[in-house]
Amino acid sequence: MASLHSNIDIVGYASRLPGANTSEDFWTLLRDGKCAVTSVSNDRWPLARFGHPDKSSSGKSYTWAAGQLDDVWGFDPSFFGISPREALQIDPQQRLLLQLVWEALEHANIPPSDLAGTTTGVYVGASSLDYHHRFIGDPATADMQFMTGNTLSIVSNRISYIYDLRGPSFTVDTACSSSLVALHEAISAIESGQIDTAIVCGVSLLLSPFAFIGFSRATMLSPTGLCQAFDANGDGYVRSEGGVAIVLRSKPGQSAQWRTKPCEDPGVRHQCRRPYSRPVPALALCASGSAA
């Protein structure tokens, strides 16, 4: 357990980062001083179609150097009571955070059932909608769950819904500072006594070539594939992806005004009912299941 603030503890965490599938792997990566920058893999989009070494080429990226997760497509929807049909419409950012929140609660030794129906808050930093862009080439692939699956506000709301959390739930988009601002909002809510438990997440996945193309037109990306901040050899930055979830709790006795408690509002209970009463077959989602 780590202390984030004099009255707040980090009781659990989980992460999925380039070159590190677990938080323990990440510490090893840092300790060994390894570089996790590789290149965008062909399962993301047709690299040859959108790439060109000439920086002046319109509609192309001159580099695919990136920090990339090993697997952004694998997901078992039945574990979370989601149908395979709906899962295909859900942004992998949402799917990744559902898994990381479960792992963070495990790390905190908090059974998810203990938080169900409580005023636990969810604060997520996110700003990209790459998966949404994949449907542009073939709009017919968008199904009825497309909007809820590809809207930033639902990134946090789906966590609250799946885990039956009744506290504040919102997504913060302040570009590069999104996760830090989400963390600030969670700390403020705990300090004010509004809640005593918060789940804070940050996520960004590279699932579309469009941002690479835009940054290439602005010559912001490093052609050598290295971030060399404050160095004379710096020639741009490298895009990366990942997801992190942490669980915050006020220290015992610090939130007497408003302790986490079940929500007793019948209307809210009705809105938060799970739509699936039976499990569905497991499914490992892959890139071929959506429009490129």
Side-chain angles (χ1 to χ4, degrees), residues 40 45 60-66 130 206 208-217 221 239-240:
V40 175
W45 57 79
K60 307 289 183 179
S61 175
Y62 56 80
T63 179
W64 297 125
D130 282 19
L206 308 177
S208 167
F210 296 148
F212 277 90
I213 293 170
F215 288 129
S216 288
R217 294 299 295 165
L221 301 181
R239 304 191 70 214
S240 190

Side-chain angles (χ1 to χ4, degrees), residues 12-16 23 97 100-102 104 199-202 243-247:
Y13 54 83
S15 65
R16 200 87 81 250
S23 299
L97 288 188
L100 288 175
V101 168
W102 184 276
I199 295 173
V200 184
C201 305
V244 175
I246 64 175
V247 182

Side-chain angles (χ1 to χ4, degrees), residues 47-285:
L47 301 183
R49 175 182 174 185
F50 296 104
H52 197 286
D54 186 353
K55 293 183 180 181
S56 64
S57 295
S58 299
K60 307 289 183 179
S61 175
Y62 56 80
T63 179
W64 297 125
Q68 181 175 282
L69 302 187
D70 291 340
D71 178 21
V72 295
W73 308 112
F75 182 65
D76 180 0
S78 64
F79 185 85
F80 296 100
I82 299 173
S83 73
R85 178 178 177 179
E86 181 176 5
L88 286 169
Q89 302 289 312
I90 296 176
D91 189 333
Q93 293 183 130
Q94 295 186 27
R95 304 190 316 227
L96 175 61
L97 288 188
L98 287 178
Q99 299 172 80
L100 288 175
V101 168
W102 184 276
E103 294 174 14
L105 291 176
E106 280 189 325
H107 185 254
N109 292 316
I110 301 174
S113 57
D114 284 2
L115 295 183
T118 68
T119 55
T120 298
V122 177
Y123 304 81
V124 175
S127 60
S128 63
L129 285 171
D130 282 19
Y131 196 63
H132 174 279
H133 300 156
R134 298 170 66 89
F135 290 84
I136 295 176
D138 186 6
T141 59
D143 209 337
M144 65 181 70
Q145 299 93 354
F146 171 75
M147 291 308 299
T148 53
N150 294 271
T151 302
L152 283 178
S153 60
I154 307 299
V155 178
S156 52
N157 297 165
R158 192 177 296 275
I159 295 171
S160 297
Y161 177 78
I162 292 294
Y163 288 93
D164 193 19
L165 309 177
R166 314 293 178 83
S169 178
F170 57 87
T171 306
V172 175
D173 178 7
T174 55
C176 299
S177 63
S178 298
S179 298
L180 286 177
V181 176
L183 178 62
H184 168 75
E185 293 297 324
I187 293 173
S188 297
I190 294 176
E191 288 181 329
S192 69
Q194 181 183 7
I195 60 174
D196 69 359
T197 302
I199 295 173
V200 184
C201 305
V203 67
S204 181
L205 296 181
L206 308 177
L207 304 174
S208 167
F210 296 148
F212 277 90
I213 293 170
F215 288 129
S216 288
R217 294 299 295 165
T219 62
M220 294 170 62
L221 301 181
S222 167
T224 57
L226 292 172
C227 287
Q228 301 178 84
F230 313 113
D231 191 295
N233 294 320
D235 57 1
Y237 88 106
V238 179
R239 304 191 70 214
S240 190
E241 63 185 3
V244 175
I246 64 175
V247 182
L248 306 182
R249 271 193 159 168
S250 60
K251 293 182 178 180
Q254 297 296 331
S255 183
Q257 177 185 2
W258 185 328
R259 301 300 297 171
T260 299
K261 60 183 179 180
C263 178
E264 300 298 337
D265 187 331
V268 173
R269 288 203 307 269
H270 174 75
Q271 294 174 19
C272 291
R273 287 187 304 175
R274 298 177 186 272
Y276 305 106
S277 59
R278 293 179 300 176
V280 294
L283 174 69
L285 300 178

